[in-house]
Amino acid sequence: MQYKEMFNIENMNFADKIYIFDTTLRDGEQTPGVALTVDEKIQIAQKLNNLGVDKIEVGFPASSNGEIESARKINDLDLQSTLVGLARSLKNDIDAVLDSDLGYIHTFIGTSPLHRDFKLKKSKEEIIDSAVSAVEYAKDHGLTVEFSAEDATRTERDFLLEIFSQVSDAKADFLDVPDTVGVLTPLESRELITDLKNKLKTPISVHFHNDFGLATANSLAAIECGADQAHVTVNGLGERTGNCSLEELVMTLKVAYGIDLGLDTTRLYSLSNLVGRLTGVKMPVNKPIVGDNAFAHESGIHVHGILNNSSTYEPMSPEMVGHSRRIVLGKHTGANSLKSKLKEYHIDLNDDQFDSVFSQIKSLGDSGKCVTDDDLVSIAITELASARETPIIIKGMSISMGANVSPTATVKLEIDGVEKETAQTGVGPVDAALSAVRELIQEDIDMELEEYNLEAITGGTDALAEVFVVSSDSHGNKSTGRSTNQDIVMASILAVLDSINKLLLIQRTQ
Ligand code: KIV
Ligand code: ZN
């Protein structure tokens, strides 16, 4: 559905082909604390290729032998995406790119007064000489050449135009405009790219950093004015606060601008997860497109809308990016959300039970708690359990202990009306009693005790033990159990039986 008919924007001048140049493996790897192995770089390159990005900057070959090795190995994969190696405008760096067997070089030199005076200590003429010599040398060796004027956005405009036109004359194939410290604004981006496009024939690329959170907006503004290419990284990784995020740029172009770059966007979420896992940089829950909350809904009003038509509160479907929708329960939950959640877990409640579960979820939310799906199932099943026969009831238990012998527990249970009894030994009395319970119930349920916590013991020899457990069954259901008793063994058995009874009730409602 075209939902933005009401806007009438002029002065958009898109390039016929917009290239996506991914630099996750180079600028992304410069994220503080991130270092990728050769194998990890290969995994990411394969996924970027399957997504369909045009170019992958695989690394900075002059910086280490490992970079040359990974560039070569990625090259051996014969991917569709063009592979790029970074080089300063220096012969040795260019040779390292040649050594890596790459056919495309991204060569750069600082052009701003700050870089000229404090880093390179070179005059404008010397900078132009180095840039032109680098481009010529790379072209002479058969490379496709992209030239970056590092810190372009803080470079005098006439000097930027001068160096760009000289490297163009030396046959550079792309001119890249780095906003190295992310100081550009969207309007400035439009003005700069419009000016460069008017005065230069060579395709223009942008490489925008995110220091003020504007990298994606600035890149889009540049694309609106004819930029032919944008440098991006998965999850917006990169130096300091990172680069323009691949998923944000591609999805904004696709959904908000209606420009489909032909990428398989259903792969974005899994690519983001892979990069998050391999780099150790986890995305905040509210990260656009790929964050946990990108398609999560809690408020009753929103969930009601979503259940009728997901476009009411989602600008795109989660399927478009390989993500999934999540209905979250909490203080803002409405009856419709709760109904759809209960349906998801095949739990049928009558009106009174529903009202009781609804109010318990609300009061948990009001007390500041986040209500997980496990909590909901547990609350709903407890509600059901109070209305039904409890499947397993304890009928008796005794422990015998002695010097130099393992404790033995004898347990008698009534399971669906049938009494059963057994004795088991264990390393301690609780262990023995739980082994006996396990043996007695094994024909009725295949359960695992996932957590056992002796939560609170009040003071004194007649203290109360509170036991909390989490159990699961072979269908993936989970339930909690809780019991308080003066006897630790009895508290443990009752807590375990509490959780097993809930699991049995879940199974019987499924
Ligand atoms: O941000 C930057 O200026 C860079 C250059 C190497 C292009 O990453
Ligand atoms: Zn950069």
Side-chain angles (χ1 to χ4, degrees):
M1 184 180 72
Q2 173 56 268
Y3 60 90
K4 283 171 64 180
E5 284 150 4
M6 53 288 208
F7 294 96
N8 181 11
I9 296 176
E10 286 172 7
N11 301 329
M12 300 263 230
N13 185 19
F14 298 103
D16 290 340
K17 160 87 185 149
I18 300 163
Y19 293 85
I20 294 296
F21 177 118
D22 183 276
T23 180
T24 308
L25 299 180
R26 198 279 297 170
D27 212 320
E29 206 200 12
Q30 288 172 220
T31 305
V34 170
L36 296 164
T37 64
V38 174
D39 181 57
E40 290 169 341
K41 281 198 163 200
I42 289 174
Q43 288 183 54
I44 295 173
Q46 270 166 329
K47 284 226 171 205
L48 283 166
N49 177 71
N50 296 343
L51 177 72
V53 301
D54 300 286
K55 304 175 192 177
I56 303 174
E57 189 167 43
V58 292
F60 183 8
S63 69
S64 77
N65 289 336
E67 286 286 276
I68 296 184
E69 189 197 338
S70 62
R72 283 197 187 139
K73 290 209 164 133
I74 296 171
N75 208 18
D76 288 346
L77 300 172
D78 227 358
L79 303 177
Q80 292 271 301
S81 311
T82 301
L83 305 183
V84 184
L86 181 74
R88 286 165 295 182
S89 293
L90 298 172
K91 183 176 171 301
N92 279 353
D93 279 27
I94 301 168
D95 287 340
V97 172
L98 290 167
D99 260 6
S100 311
D101 304 328
L102 299 170
Y104 189 124
I105 193 167
H106 171 205
T107 183
F108 72 99
I109 191 164
T111 52
S112 66
L114 279 164
H115 281 238
R116 293 193 314 257
D117 299 342
F118 295 99
K119 190 180 85 174
L120 301 166
K121 302 198 186 333
K122 282 190 177 188
S123 67
K124 287 180 177 171
E125 293 69 31
E126 288 170 317
I127 299 279
I128 290 184
D129 272 358
S130 304
V132 170
S133 308
V135 172
E136 284 174 349
Y137 183 73
K139 288 299 293 184
D140 285 348
H141 286 80
L143 297 174
T144 302
V145 180
E146 178 161 336
F147 172 76
S148 267
E150 191 187 13
D151 209 14
T153 54
R154 294 190 298 177
T155 299
E156 305 91 328
R157 182 68 56 86
D158 57 346
F159 181 55
L160 185 63
L161 281 162
E162 179 60 23
I163 194 163
F164 273 163
S165 79
Q166 296 227 21
V167 296
S168 294
D169 290 347
K171 303 273 179 298
D173 300 278
F174 267 83
L175 303 174
D176 181 55
V177 182
D179 183 26
T180 302
V181 292
V183 288
L184 204 62
T185 66
L187 266 184
E188 289 169 356
S189 172
R190 288 189 65 103
E191 189 278 323
L192 172 60
I193 300 307
T194 305
D195 193 30
L196 297 179
K197 286 297 294 179
N198 284 338
K199 295 183 177 146
L200 299 158
K201 294 266 169 304
T202 311
I204 299 289
S205 167
V206 293
H207 175 106
F208 290 165
H209 277 274
N210 201 32
D211 296 69
F212 292 102
L214 290 173
T216 304
N218 288 339
S219 303
L220 289 165
I223 288 172
E224 287 171 5
C225 299
D228 302 270
Q229 171 173 281
H231 285 201
V232 295
T233 56
V234 177
N235 295 343
L237 293 181
E239 284 279 358
R240 305 179 308 283
T241 55
N243 292 63
C244 172
S245 140
L246 163 70
E247 52 283 352
E248 289 173 20
L249 186 86
V250 167
M251 291 316 293
T252 313
L253 282 174
K254 184 165 177 164
V255 177
Y257 289 69
I259 299 177
D260 190 337
L261 300 180
L263 276 69
D264 181 357
T265 59
T266 62
R267 297 172 182 268
L268 283 170
Y269 182 62
S270 85
L271 172 63
S272 160
N273 281 340
L274 176 80
V275 170
R277 189 159 49 78
L278 298 183
T279 58
V281 183
K282 295 276 172 286
M283 286 300 94
V285 290
N286 61 343
K287 169 77 173 66
I289 320 291
V290 292
D292 275 1
N293 286 356
F295 300 93
H297 309 275
E298 181 183 318
S299 98
I301 297 169
H302 283 216
V303 174
H304 184 218
I306 286 284
L307 293 174
N308 289 336
N309 179 338
S310 60
S311 298
T312 49
Y313 288 103
E314 282 174 355
M316 68 198 122
S317 73
E319 292 79 20
M320 271 179 97
V321 296
H323 206 329
S324 50
R325 182 172 300 123
R326 221 159 38 91
I327 308 281
V328 179
L329 298 172
K331 66 192 273 191
H332 306 109
T333 291
N336 284 305
S337 324
L338 181 56
K339 275 185 196 145
S340 94
K341 269 276 167 205
L342 290 168
K343 202 162 156 205
E344 200 180 303
Y345 286 96
H346 311 281
I347 298 174
D348 240 342
L349 300 179
N350 65 29
D351 289 352
D352 289 345
Q353 290 163 343
F354 182 87
D355 290 346
S356 161
V357 170
F358 192 48
S359 75
Q360 289 179 64
I361 302 271
K362 288 273 188 190
S363 52
L364 272 174
D366 276 338
S367 64
K369 297 220 173 61
C370 158
V371 185
T372 64
D373 282 16
D374 285 349
D375 292 333
L376 167 68
V377 171
S378 183
I379 292 168
I381 293 301
T382 307
E383 199 60 41
L384 276 176
S386 58
R388 291 185 190 198
E389 294 270 288
T390 307
I392 305 177
I393 302 165
I394 181 132
K395 286 291 184 180
M397 189 271 299
S398 74
I399 300 284
S400 70
M401 313 253 281
N404 302 325
V405 286
S406 304
T408 303
T410 305
V411 176
K412 187 194 276 188
L413 299 179
E414 185 186 297
I415 304 175
D416 290 323
V418 180
E419 283 194 3
K420 289 183 177 175
E421 181 177 320
T422 192
Q424 284 288 322
T425 55
V427 288
V430 172
D431 186 46
L434 293 185
S435 296
V437 169
R438 260 197 213 96
E439 187 182 303
L440 290 172
I441 59 152
Q442 66 187 350
E443 281 171 17
D444 300 87
I445 187 164
D446 181 13
M447 61 81 74
E448 277 295 325
L449 188 58
E450 299 210 346
E451 258 183 62
Y452 170 93
N453 290 304
L454 189 55
E455 279 213 325
I457 301 183
T458 53
T461 49
D462 59 350
L464 279 181
E466 187 181 0
V467 174
F468 171 77
V469 298
V470 180
S471 309
S472 63
D473 66 14
S474 49
H475 306 280
N477 298 312
K478 270 193 185 181
S479 76
T480 56
R482 193 181 287 279
S483 174
T484 308
N485 198 286
Q486 275 176 320
D487 182 318
I488 291 178
V489 181
M490 190 51 106
S492 305
I493 293 182
L494 289 174
V496 169
L497 288 181
D498 184 29
S499 72
I500 294 173
N501 277 324
K502 286 177 192 167
L503 282 176
L504 282 169
L505 285 168
I506 297 176
Q507 289 183 3
R508 289 171 191 187
T509 54
Q510 280 176 343

